[in-house]
Amino acid sequence: MNSKKDIQTANVSSSATTAASTTAISPSRQENYPEWYQEVIKAADLAEQSPARGCMVIKPWGYGIWENIQHVLNQRFKETGHQNAYFPLFIPKSFLEKEAEHVEGFAKECAVVTHHRLEKGEDGGLVPAGPLSEPYIVRPTSETIIGAMFAKWVRSHRDLPLLINQWANVVRWEMRTRLFLRTTEFLWQEGHTAHASEAEAREETLKMLDVYTDFCEQYLAIPIVRGEKSEGERFPGAVNTYSLEPMMQDRKALQAGTSHFLGQNFARASDIKYLDQDGSEKFAWTTSWGVSTRLIGALIMTHADDNGMVVPPRVAPTHIVIMPMTHKPGTEAKVMEYCHSLQKDLQACKYNIEGQTQAQSQLQVHLDTRDLRGGEKMWSWIKKGVPICIEIGPRDVDAGAVYFYRRDQQPGKKTSMPRMEFINNASAILEEMQHNFFENARKFLCANTHTFTNKDEFYTFFTPKNASQTEIHGGFALAHFCGDPTVEEKLKQDLNVTVRCIPFNDARSPIADLMRNLRNVDSCLNNCLFTGKASKGIALFAKAY
Amino acid sequence: MNSKKDIQTANVSSSATTAASTTAISPSRQENYPEWYQEVIKAADLAEQSPARGCMVIKPWGYGIWENIQHVLNQRFKETGHQNAYFPLFIPKSFLEKEAEHVEGFAKECAVVTHHRLEKGEDGGLVPAGPLSEPYIVRPTSETIIGAMFAKWVRSHRDLPLLINQWANVVRWEMRTRLFLRTTEFLWQEGHTAHASEAEAREETLKMLDVYTDFCEQYLAIPIVRGEKSEGERFPGAVNTYSLEPMMQDRKALQAGTSHFLGQNFARASDIKYLDQDGSEKFAWTTSWGVSTRLIGALIMTHADDNGMVVPPRVAPTHIVIMPMTHKPGTEAKVMEYCHSLQKDLQACKYNIEGQTQAQSQLQVHLDTRDLRGGEKMWSWIKKGVPICIEIGPRDVDAGAVYFYRRDQQPGKKTSMPRMEFINNASAILEEMQHNFFENARKFLCANTHTFTNKDEFYTFFTPKNASQTEIHGGFALAHFCGDPTVEEKLKQDLNVTVRCIPFNDARSPIADLMRNLRNVDSCLNNCLFTGKASKGIALFAKAY
């Protein structure tokens, strides 16, 4: 292990400075990370469990974040030539049976529709009736049904490339669910494309991985390690699967998005053929790629702290909340007038996102006039993770000032600024916060990623010291790996650790330096950490969601 | 009947002038309206049937229209204080059983999920396994599951009003399906609100009906007759149902949207209670309202003609298509350069929608460089209903001109205009077209709406002359009605005619004059047309989708 010291000193978050004082979320991340996660979602009013087993209700604040994610990604998809369409929720059973590996992967746990009617039963209750001749599966993913349509639409090389995206709900029957991370139903987008050449399909696969990476880093402020999945972790039916693997604050990895090169597997299964320029009929090359509401789980576990949710400004449904402090008798009218005028002026401001000209260009400003105590009101917004909270009392009105709190600083720390200065700088402050959130996460990722040339140290790294279920330990481990699936199986059994990906040799990666160092160690150490056999490259190992 | 002559002369559309020449869609509306409808959808590439029975695939051009519908309505919903959220796809069977009338209405034909797994069967195929202890219903509408959540969220009068909207897919197992009009799965939005007072809930119900009416008239260019549904046509469980009832080109009505005042029925069923200011616990008053992808069916049947689809500019995914005519040797470079520059200049233009400051503010301009004959290319866009098609050949480049076709004029009629003049006027031309589409539809509606004081004439009106299945006949009939459900039953059996609604006494309605005339006839004729009993008001009768 190269930097043992770092591990002990690296804390779960940049705001650990508040640990001594009381925090809004109990338990804290250190005390019980999984419970902390649930409590943040509750305190921020992002989502909750529904009466339908394992299905969530996404509440307005959570859905507002999802709408912003959709908005930005939708623009990126259109800029890269994709069109949206909509395909059926139901997949006939026989379609799932077409691609052998795909069946294995997806037929296991899915919602099966077997009847199309309810009738009054003997006890007066409703009973299923009208059995279907062929059961339908509620889509767990849509390769098979979209493939069947592509087969109809593609005739000639002129019909290619076919670049389609769908925003939809999907269902995978999960035994153990956690809000946003693993739910029976979730919302996602799934891109499906068909190409005339392998090279073009491969280029598309990586292009969309780039789109996801840029989006996660620039909008969600989540630094991304990415690479190719090992054989055992591939999408069922894919030739290559690539994934985004950010680190959460408990140092586990979360697969945040995937892009698959499907080769001709699904084209063969669905009969997607085209007449080429040379007059011969050929199978198309296809890809698929997707991200889901899981990204909101990634947001929470990257940025939220012991005081609740933290929403990076670029995806925040509300950027600024104004709270009038009107308890002093006789001041209400002038405070309210000042607040309304401030709201109006701020709403007229552009939110200038660096390097972007169009996206989400107005400041979203909310005036909170609820009849609550000031402290309670302020904390409700801190817990929701609104970037900036403004309190306006009579003295601020008299001074022509804005008294505000930034979510990237400690609660209690507030700043007063002349009104015009704040209005002129609001957008820049938000961008500075966006930058800070990314930098904090990047430093955390780097501090908790280590290279290994000694197997015992690797095992020590992934073993909690107190054998506690909730102890935060481990991190990302980089080591040379021979690619043997039995090694992966053993690591899973011994440590619950998996190969997250074979990271790209990527200059922009947050772990580029660590990768380079490991490549440059003595060549005798360049063999597989576990078998001593020839390395197929450096792999990223971690516990994961 | 007041104006028999009008009926005979009123034609199915304003573009009937093209009837003599060849048209792109066969059969024409007059020849076979239902088949014409299917052919328009095919020719415009809007949607198609999928392998899942009764479920449609919405193709990019159709989905682009839906995205614009969503975009504008979403803004209106937010302006009226609503927030988006997402609720589960699955409804436990017991929830549907809670509201007695609701069960009757929706339990009959629905998709029932009974298993959560597929396993290899004896023959090697997959068979349903893992039976659910309680079956789930794929939501046909979400009152019951949203009601259960509202019951958790509402505690005090301070939690009210609760104003929520959801964009989602829903499933109703339909025996006979038609693309967009009636499909097993469709996309929609469903608003659900809870209020502390009956008056406020009633106001909300009508406010959202207004939002729908304005949207249909101003964006879809569809003139709306609206009013209250009769008892037999009410939403199952509602106290009052209001609907939008535009006239299609075959003179039938299409229910294009509904808004329901649910009273306290669902609040009682779901236990949505709040502590009022007076300290007592009360049931909330709820509403629900929705429009769906059926609106695209309404668009087609209001505006499309015998040459294909017609998309009103305000909801068109593409406003202008530029087609370079490069067949003359040696001219390609300069034509392409001119086209690219024209596209760039037009894309920089705002599309100024009268009375709107924000919505959909850029001109959407597509450059079609496909390797197709000019005529074929032009017709492909006419059939899609793109508002403006521009052809640019070398002579246009030399003249600095734009040679264009407007979809509200006859094919073949093209106009040449100096480049700058066209660029400066593009937005105004689109707005003029938008106005023309609405006016054509309004005139058609008025010409085919009649008042009746004689029952025989009413029966003649709704009886085709040639007993042909596809003869276009009838229209909207206004008559005094006593409200007796047995009359409705008889009219349905005799003529397949239903009470569409009791139209509002609405000065803005396209049929306001006809309504006034009928109210003003001799008071002896102010009795029910069918029973002679006292009238409860003027009802709108029509055949309907």
Side-chain angles (χ1 to χ4, degrees):
Chain A
M1 190 186 295
N2 295 347
S3 52
K4 211 169 222 167
K5 214 168 146 198
D6 280 353
I7 299 171
Q8 279 147 2
T9 53
N11 211 308
V12 288
S13 119
S14 55
S15 68
T17 40
T18 63
S21 58
T22 318
T23 55
I25 304 297
S26 176
S28 69
R29 287 163 290 181
Q30 285 291 7
E31 286 163 356
N32 187 326
Y33 192 86
E35 269 192 41
W36 163 84
Y37 177 76
Q38 305 290 351
E39 290 301 319
V40 169
I41 290 174
K42 199 168 156 186
D45 221 14
L46 290 164
E48 63 186 73
Q49 293 290 356
S50 81
R53 198 189 149 289
C55 295
M56 65 181 159
V57 174
I58 308 178
K59 299 183 79 172
W61 187 245
Y63 198 79
I65 295 173
W66 180 241
E67 286 181 303
N68 287 341
I69 290 173
Q70 286 188 298
H71 179 72
V72 180
L73 282 177
N74 221 12
Q75 279 193 328
R76 295 290 172 280
F77 297 159
K78 290 186 180 178
E79 283 162 13
T80 45
H82 303 84
Q83 291 186 299
N84 287 333
Y86 187 77
F87 298 85
L89 173 67
F90 297 131
I91 299 179
K93 180 172 74 72
S94 56
F95 278 62
L96 265 198
E97 292 165 343
K98 282 184 189 172
E99 216 288 334
E101 286 186 34
H102 196 65
V103 179
E104 286 300 315
F106 284 105
K108 285 171 192 158
E109 298 298 337
C110 55
V112 188
V113 178
T114 56
H115 294 73
H116 67 79
R117 194 186 306 143
L118 286 175
E119 282 178 0
K120 277 260 156 65
E122 286 174 12
D123 61 350
L126 298 169
V127 292
L132 299 180
S133 55
E134 179 181 5
Y136 283 164
I137 313 308
V138 179
R139 62 182 161 217
T141 181
S142 302
E143 275 76 8
T144 56
I145 191 116
I146 293 180
M149 301 314 295
F150 276 21
K152 291 180 68 179
W153 299 348
V154 174
R155 289 278 166 266
S156 140
H157 63 94
R158 287 169 204 243
D159 301 323
L160 296 173
L162 188 54
L163 307 173
I164 298 290
N165 176 63
Q166 154 168 284
W167 291 96
N169 53 344
V170 285
V171 170
R172 297 172 188 181
W173 210 270
E174 300 286 354
M175 286 301 118
R176 293 179 58 194
T177 61
R178 297 185 71 187
L179 291 169
F180 292 118
L181 298 180
R182 193 175 296 277
T183 49
T184 298
E185 182 191 17
F186 56 92
L187 304 182
W188 79 344
Q189 61 67 220
E190 48 182 323
H192 295 269
T193 70
H195 306 262
S197 76
E198 174 176 358
E200 194 185 289
R202 286 193 176 278
E203 188 192 330
E204 166 81 8
T205 311
L206 295 177
K207 185 196 287 174
M208 300 323 288
L209 196 75
D210 273 345
V211 165
Y212 290 155
T213 306
D214 289 348
F215 172 73
C216 284
E217 297 201 329
Q218 292 168 17
Y219 282 82
L220 304 184
I222 300 177
I224 296 296
V225 178
R226 63 202 185 139
E228 186 179 350
K229 283 287 189 191
S230 64
E231 195 184 327
E233 300 276 333
R234 231 175 252 155
F235 177 77
V239 175
N240 306 94
T241 286
Y242 303 91
S243 72
L244 276 59
E245 303 282 345
M247 181 188 285
M248 304 295 100
Q249 290 181 74
D250 60 354
R251 306 185 204 159
K252 288 186 184 168
L254 180 119
Q255 183 177 298
T258 48
S259 186
H260 314 292
F261 169 66
L262 304 174
Q264 294 178 309
N265 294 348
F266 282 88
R268 280 178 212 279
S270 297
D271 209 32
I272 309 172
K273 282 184 296 203
Y274 69 96
L275 197 65
D276 204 356
Q277 281 175 296
D278 63 13
S280 69
E281 204 169 49
K282 294 175 182 167
F283 284 112
W285 301 83
T286 68
T287 82
S288 68
W289 29 274
V291 296
S292 73
T293 37
R294 195 171 219 219
L295 285 178
I296 299 176
L299 261 189
I300 299 168
M301 291 207 294
T302 302
H303 300 299
D305 61 22
D306 293 340
N307 288 317
M309 184 60 179
V310 171
V311 189
R314 290 184 182 181
V315 290
T318 302
H319 300 114
I320 300 173
V321 172
I322 303 172
M323 288 168 275
M325 311 295 278
T326 56
H327 45 278
K328 195 170 171 191
T331 63
E332 183 166 350
K334 78 171 178 184
V335 168
M336 287 308 299
E337 192 193 330
Y338 188 87
C339 287
H340 277 293
S341 138
L342 179 62
Q343 181 188 28
K344 210 177 135 206
D345 288 352
L346 285 168
Q347 279 173 333
C349 290
K350 292 274 177 214
Y351 176 21
N352 297 308
I353 294 183
E354 280 165 33
Q356 303 295 330
T357 51
Q358 285 203 348
Q360 206 197 353
S361 56
Q362 295 301 123
L363 281 186
Q364 300 297 320
V365 187
H366 177 68
L367 180 59
D368 183 356
T369 57
R370 286 178 300 169
D371 182 18
L372 288 177
R373 283 187 311 110
E376 195 181 338
K377 200 183 272 193
M378 170 67 93
W379 274 102
S380 77
W381 292 111
I382 292 175
K383 287 188 282 187
K384 275 184 174 303
V386 164
I388 296 175
C389 297
I390 298 173
E391 283 178 345
I392 298 291
R395 274 195 290 183
D396 304 300
V397 178
D398 294 342
V402 170
Y403 190 59
F404 68 100
Y405 163 67
R406 292 164 56 147
R407 192 63 180 84
D408 63 340
Q409 299 181 345
Q410 271 186 263
K413 180 175 174 188
K414 293 176 196 168
T415 310
S416 187
M417 195 182 271
R419 191 174 180 281
M420 275 314 293
E421 188 184 337
F422 180 81
I423 292 171
N424 290 334
N425 283 294
S427 173
I429 294 170
L430 292 169
E431 282 295 275
E432 186 185 298
M433 294 174 68
Q434 178 82 29
H435 177 77
N436 290 347
F437 291 135
F438 180 79
E439 269 306 298
N440 288 343
R442 193 190 59 76
K443 284 179 193 154
F444 181 77
L445 166 64
C446 291
N448 292 292
T449 303
H450 301 275
T451 57
F452 289 86
T453 51
N454 176 306
K455 189 179 157 188
D456 290 342
E457 287 181 357
F458 181 97
Y459 267 69
T460 307
F461 182 65
F462 283 115
T463 306
K465 284 172 204 63
N466 308 313
S468 144
Q469 286 288 337
T470 58
E471 182 189 322
I472 294 177
H473 66 280
F476 280 8
L478 296 167
H480 279 285
F481 178 48
C482 64
D484 183 346
T486 62
V487 170
E488 291 187 63
E489 199 44 54
K490 185 159 167 52
L491 287 175
K492 199 162 189 174
Q493 279 177 11
D494 290 350
L495 299 168
N496 197 27
V497 162
T498 49
V499 173
R500 301 316 305 155
C501 66
I502 315 300
F504 290 169
N505 188 356
D506 203 348
R508 59 175 279 183
S509 164
I511 58 164
D513 289 349
L514 288 165
M515 294 279 290
R516 189 165 46 243
N517 292 345
L518 188 55
R519 274 195 303 274
N520 291 344
V521 293
D522 285 351
S523 61
C524 66
L525 296 170
N526 260 344
N527 290 332
C528 175
L529 182 67
F530 308 98
T531 63
K533 287 190 230 166
S535 167
K536 281 196 178 161
I538 298 170
L540 173 68
F541 299 84
K543 300 191 179 185
Y545 282 92
Chain B
M1 193 186 292
N2 294 347
S3 52
K4 212 168 223 167
K5 213 168 145 196
D6 280 353
I7 300 171
Q8 278 146 3
T9 53
N11 211 309
V12 287
S13 119
S14 55
S15 68
T17 39
T18 64
S21 58
T22 317
T23 55
I25 304 298
S26 176
S28 70
R29 287 162 291 182
Q30 286 290 7
E31 286 163 355
N32 188 327
Y33 192 85
E35 269 191 41
W36 163 85
Y37 176 76
Q38 306 290 351
E39 290 301 319
V40 169
I41 290 173
K42 200 168 156 187
D45 220 13
L46 292 165
E48 65 186 73
Q49 293 290 355
S50 81
R53 198 188 149 290
C55 295
M56 64 180 159
V57 173
I58 308 178
K59 299 183 79 172
W61 186 245
Y63 198 80
I65 296 173
W66 180 241
E67 286 181 302
N68 287 341
I69 290 174
Q70 287 189 298
H71 179 72
V72 180
L73 282 177
N74 221 12
Q75 278 192 329
R76 296 289 173 280
F77 297 159
K78 289 187 181 180
E79 284 162 13
T80 45
H82 302 84
Q83 292 186 299
N84 286 333
Y86 187 77
F87 298 86
L89 173 68
F90 297 131
I91 299 179
K93 180 172 75 72
S94 57
F95 279 63
L96 264 198
E97 292 166 343
K98 282 184 188 172
E99 216 288 334
E101 286 186 34
H102 197 64
V103 179
E104 287 300 315
F106 284 103
K108 285 170 193 157
E109 298 298 337
C110 53
V112 189
V113 178
T114 56
H115 294 73
H116 67 80
R117 196 186 304 144
L118 287 175
E119 284 178 359
K120 278 260 157 67
E122 285 172 13
D123 61 350
L126 297 170
V127 293
L132 299 179
S133 55
E134 179 180 4
Y136 283 163
I137 313 308
V138 179
R139 62 182 162 218
T141 180
S142 303
E143 276 75 9
T144 56
I145 191 116
I146 293 181
M149 301 315 295
F150 276 21
K152 291 179 68 178
W153 298 346
V154 173
R155 289 278 167 266
S156 138
H157 63 94
R158 286 170 205 244
D159 301 323
L160 297 173
L162 188 54
L163 307 172
I164 297 289
N165 176 64
Q166 156 168 281
W167 292 96
N169 52 344
V170 284
V171 170
R172 298 174 187 179
W173 212 270
E174 301 285 354
M175 285 303 118
R176 295 179 56 194
T177 62
R178 297 185 71 187
L179 291 169
F180 293 118
L181 299 179
R182 196 175 293 279
T183 48
T184 297
E185 182 191 18
F186 56 93
L187 304 183
W188 81 343
Q189 60 68 219
E190 48 182 323
H192 295 271
T193 69
H195 306 262
S197 78
E198 175 175 356
E200 193 185 290
R202 286 193 176 278
E203 189 192 330
E204 166 80 8
T205 310
L206 295 176
K207 184 196 286 173
M208 300 324 288
L209 195 74
D210 273 345
V211 165
Y212 290 155
T213 307
D214 290 349
F215 173 72
C216 283
E217 297 201 329
Q218 291 168 18
Y219 282 81
L220 303 184
I222 300 177
I224 295 297
V225 178
R226 63 200 184 140
E228 187 178 350
K229 283 287 189 192
S230 65
E231 196 184 327
E233 299 276 332
R234 233 176 250 155
F235 178 76
V239 175
N240 306 95
T241 286
Y242 303 90
S243 73
L244 275 60
E245 302 282 345
M247 182 188 284
M248 304 295 100
Q249 290 181 74
D250 61 354
R251 307 186 204 159
K252 288 186 186 169
L254 180 119
Q255 183 178 299
T258 48
S259 186
H260 314 293
F261 170 65
L262 304 174
Q264 294 178 309
N265 293 348
F266 282 88
R268 280 178 213 279
S270 297
D271 209 31
I272 309 172
K273 281 184 296 202
Y274 69 96
L275 197 65
D276 204 357
Q277 281 175 295
D278 64 12
S280 69
E281 204 168 50
K282 294 174 181 167
F283 284 112
W285 301 82
T286 68
T287 82
S288 68
W289 28 275
V291 297
S292 73
T293 38
R294 194 171 219 217
L295 285 178
I296 299 175
L299 261 189
I300 298 167
M301 291 207 292
T302 301
H303 299 300
D305 62 20
D306 293 340
N307 288 318
M309 184 59 179
V310 171
V311 189
R314 290 184 182 182
V315 290
T318 301
H319 300 116
I320 301 172
V321 172
I322 303 172
M323 287 168 277
M325 312 295 279
T326 56
H327 45 277
K328 196 170 171 189
T331 62
E332 183 166 350
K334 77 171 178 184
V335 168
M336 287 309 298
E337 190 193 333
Y338 189 86
C339 288
H340 277 293
S341 138
L342 179 63
Q343 181 188 29
K344 208 176 138 207
D345 288 350
L346 284 168
Q347 280 173 333
C349 289
K350 292 275 176 212
Y351 177 20
N352 298 308
I353 294 183
E354 281 164 33
Q356 303 295 331
T357 50
Q358 286 204 345
Q360 207 197 351
S361 55
Q362 297 300 125
L363 280 186
Q364 300 297 320
V365 187
H366 177 69
L367 179 59
D368 183 357
T369 56
R370 286 178 299 168
D371 182 19
L372 288 177
R373 283 187 312 109
E376 195 181 338
K377 199 183 272 192
M378 171 66 93
W379 275 102
S380 77
W381 292 111
I382 292 177
K383 288 188 281 187
K384 275 185 174 300
V386 164
I388 296 175
C389 298
I390 298 173
E391 284 177 344
I392 299 292
R395 274 196 291 181
D396 305 299
V397 178
D398 294 342
V402 170
Y403 191 59
F404 68 100
Y405 162 67
R406 293 165 54 147
R407 191 63 180 85
D408 63 340
Q409 299 181 345
Q410 272 186 262
K413 180 175 173 187
K414 294 176 196 168
T415 310
S416 188
M417 194 180 273
R419 192 174 179 283
M420 273 315 293
E421 189 184 336
F422 180 81
I423 291 170
N424 291 334
N425 282 294
S427 174
I429 294 171
L430 292 169
E431 281 295 275
E432 186 184 299
M433 294 174 67
Q434 179 82 28
H435 177 78
N436 290 347
F437 292 136
F438 180 79
E439 269 306 298
N440 289 343
R442 194 191 59 76
K443 283 179 193 154
F444 182 76
L445 166 64
C446 292
N448 292 293
T449 302
H450 302 275
T451 57
F452 290 86
T453 51
N454 177 305
K455 189 178 156 188
D456 290 343
E457 287 181 358
F458 181 97
Y459 267 69
T460 306
F461 182 64
F462 283 115
T463 307
K465 284 173 203 61
N466 308 314
S468 144
Q469 285 288 338
T470 58
E471 182 189 322
I472 294 176
H473 66 280
F476 280 7
L478 295 168
H480 279 283
F481 178 48
C482 65
D484 183 346
T486 62
V487 171
E488 290 188 62
E489 198 44 54
K490 184 159 168 52
L491 288 176
K492 198 161 191 175
Q493 279 176 10
D494 290 351
L495 298 168
N496 199 25
V497 162
T498 48
V499 174
R500 300 316 305 154
C501 66
I502 315 300
F504 289 169
N505 187 358
D506 202 350
R508 59 175 279 183
S509 164
I511 59 165
D513 290 349
L514 288 165
M515 294 280 289
R516 190 166 43 242
N517 292 345
L518 188 55
R519 274 195 303 275
N520 291 343
V521 294
D522 285 349
S523 61
C524 66
L525 295 171
N526 259 344
N527 290 333
C528 175
L529 182 68
F530 308 98
T531 62
K533 287 190 229 167
S535 167
K536 282 197 179 160
I538 298 170
L540 173 68
F541 300 84
K543 302 190 179 185
Y545 283 92

